[in-house]
């Protein structure tokens, strides 16, 4: 594990374990949770288009 992360064992022992775990378990950008505005924009619904009637 340490070889793949390019971390020396001495540096690994000094790292904040919980922060390192959080970084290593981060999801890819496309898999992250989106807010409502980003989701609607991805669906092609914009703020300007939402105010128009159907």
């Amino acid at each position: 594990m340490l070889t793949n992360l390019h971390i020396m064992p001495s540096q690994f022992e000094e790292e904040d374990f919980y922060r390192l775990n959080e970084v290593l378990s981060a999801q890819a950008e496309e898999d992250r949770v989106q807010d409502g505005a980003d989701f609607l924009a991805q669906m092609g619904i914009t703020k300007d288009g939402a105010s128009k009637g159907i």
Side-chain angles (χ1 to χ4, degrees):
M1 175 180 155
L2 298 179
T3 307
N4 295 337
L5 297 176
H6 305 285
I7 299 175
M8 296 294 296
S10 58
Q11 184 180 0
F12 179 76
E13 292 172 356
E14 295 174 8
E15 289 294 326
D16 178 12
F17 173 75
Y18 296 105
R19 175 68 178 139
L20 185 62
N21 192 34
E22 182 180 348
V23 170
L24 292 176
S25 64
Q27 295 181 350
E29 187 173 354
E30 60 270 3
D31 295 333
R32 294 180 192 159
V33 176
Q34 296 180 345
D35 64 8
D38 289 340
F39 176 72
L40 291 174
Q42 185 180 19
M43 301 295 288
I45 302 171
T46 62
K47 186 176 181 179
D48 298 329
S51 62
K52 297 177 183 175
I54 296 179

